[in-house]
Amino acid sequence: MIKFSDVSKQYADGTKALTSLDLQIEDGEFFVLIGPSGCGKTTTLKMMNRLIDPSSGVISMDEKEIASYDIHELRWDIGYVLQQIALFPHMTIEENIAIVPELKKWDKKKVQSRVDELLEMVGLDPLVYKNRKPDELSGGQQQRVGVARALAADPQVILMDEPFSALDPISREKLQDDVVELQQRIKKTIVFVTHDMQEALKIGDRICIMKEGRVVQVGTPHDILHNP
Ligand code: ADP
Ligand code: ADP
C-alpha cells in the first residue's frame, strides 16, 4: 500500500503544486490520477519514486516512509513508464529491457529468459524484436517495450505518466486493453496519469480526480459516473 499523508509541494520558484494531499493506493490496484494540465498529477507520481520530494507531509510504502528506503532499491522496486518514449536509441530492444536486471547483476541466462518472457507479455515476438533498435519499431511497439522495461526487475509498483497519449487512437485502445489484461495477470499496483476521462473510466479500478493541487474525488468508475 502507498499512502500520502498531508503531502504538500511547493517548487523552488514558489509554485504550489500540491496542497495537503491524502491518498491511499492499495496493492494490486489500477489507480488513475486525472485532472487538467498543471493540477499536480506528475508531481504526485514522481514523489512515489522520489524523483521529487515533498515540501511537507509523509509518503509511505508498506508502512515504511519512502524517504527511509535506499533510493536505488526504491527505484528498482517501482517501474516508471514515461509519456515520451524513452528508450536508448543506440541500444537494442533486449539491451534496453535488460538495464535494471544487469544493474542487479542477474546472471546472463536469467536476464535473457526474462527479456523473452517480458516481450511475450507485452505482445511482441522476442525472435522478431529483441535485436532491433528502437527506431525500427512503431510508436506503439516502443511503448510496449517501455512497459516491458518497467516490469523487468519485477517491481511491486509501476508508475505510468500518460504513456499512450502520443499514440494514434487505434494503437492506444489496443494498449489500454493489453495493459489492463496484463495488470490482472501480474497483479501489480499501477498508478497511471492521464487527462483523458474516457481512458480513466476504461482502465481504472479507482480514479482520483485532481484540481489545482488538491483531490476532488476518489472512487470507482461507477462512483464517478453516478456521483459526479
Ligand atoms: P500535471 O502533471 O497535472 O500537468 P504537474 O505536477 O506537472 O501537473 O505540475 C503542477 C504545477 O507545478 C504546475 O503549475 C507546474 O507548472 C508546476 N511545476 C511542475 N514542475 C515544476 C518545477 N520543476 N518547478 C516549478 N514548477 C513546477
Ligand atoms: P506534463 O506533460 O506532465 O504536463 P510538463 O510539460 O508540465 O509535463 O513538465 C515537463 C517537465 O518540466 C517536468 O519534469 C516538470 O517537473 C518540469 N516543469 C513543469 N512545469 C515547470 C515549471 N513551471 N518550471 C520548471 N519546471 C517545470
Side-chain angles (χ1 to χ4, degrees):
M1 183 179 82
I2 299 169
K3 193 170 173 188
F4 282 62
S5 306
D6 199 16
V7 170
S8 297
K9 176 67 186 179
Q10 182 163 17
Y11 283 105
D13 68 356
T15 306
K16 281 193 174 150
L18 295 175
T19 308
S20 291
L21 197 73
D22 289 309
L23 268 186
Q24 204 162 302
I25 302 170
E26 307 298 333
D27 290 340
E29 178 168 50
F30 205 127
F31 193 86
V32 178
L33 293 169
I34 188 169
S37 184
C39 72
K41 306 181 295 294
T42 299
T43 301
T44 304
L45 198 74
K46 285 181 175 171
M47 282 182 175
M48 296 183 212
N49 68 355
R50 298 196 59 204
L51 286 170
I52 297 173
D53 283 323
S55 308
S56 64
V58 174
I59 305 166
S60 61
M61 190 162 78
D62 300 334
E63 318 251 311
K64 187 174 155 188
E65 234 184 278
I66 63 165
S68 68
Y69 279 80
D70 175 272
I71 197 148
H72 302 290
E73 279 175 26
L74 182 75
R75 294 202 181 142
W76 289 343
D77 216 28
I78 299 185
Y80 193 33
V81 184
L82 295 157
Q83 174 179 7
Q84 288 83 12
I85 292 157
L87 302 175
F88 293 107
H90 60 286
M91 289 163 68
T92 65
I93 299 309
E94 173 166 26
E95 288 163 348
N96 266 285
I97 295 173
I99 293 169
V100 173
E102 280 175 357
L103 283 171
K104 290 179 110 173
K105 304 204 187 311
W106 292 11
D107 75 58
K108 259 197 150 58
K109 274 231 157 65
K110 186 175 166 194
V111 173
Q112 282 174 356
S113 65
R114 182 70 179 151
V115 168
D116 289 356
E117 179 190 32
L118 288 160
L119 283 171
E120 306 255 4
M121 267 160 93
V122 298
L124 295 172
D125 182 347
L127 290 176
V128 176
Y129 293 103
K130 75 178 170 187
N131 295 316
R132 292 198 188 177
K133 296 277 175 65
D135 69 2
E136 298 170 283
L137 273 61
S138 71
Q141 289 171 333
Q142 290 185 45
Q143 270 317 40
R144 288 173 187 272
V145 175
V147 174
R149 182 171 66 181
L151 290 170
D154 203 23
Q156 284 312 301
V157 179
I158 303 133
L159 308 178
M160 298 189 168
D161 196 349
E162 304 205 30
F164 310 144
S165 60
L167 304 178
D168 64 89
I170 292 169
S171 309
R172 185 172 182 170
E173 287 223 358
K174 182 81 176 72
L175 263 159
Q176 290 166 346
D177 292 338
D178 288 358
V179 165
V180 168
E181 199 242 334
L182 180 67
Q183 198 254 359
Q184 285 166 355
R185 198 144 40 96
I186 62 177
K187 301 190 165 49
K188 305 285 181 189
T189 310
I190 295 184
V191 188
F192 190 106
V193 165
T194 184
H195 56 256
D196 176 350
M197 186 51 103
Q198 271 191 337
E199 180 168 73
L201 291 168
K202 177 172 168 183
I203 64 179
D205 292 322
R206 280 197 305 150
I207 298 167
C208 172
I209 303 177
M210 295 179 68
K211 191 180 168 192
E212 296 172 0
R214 293 173 190 271
V215 172
V216 179
Q217 189 181 4
V218 183
T220 63
H222 183 273
D223 295 337
I224 303 283
L225 281 171
H226 295 274
N227 309 292

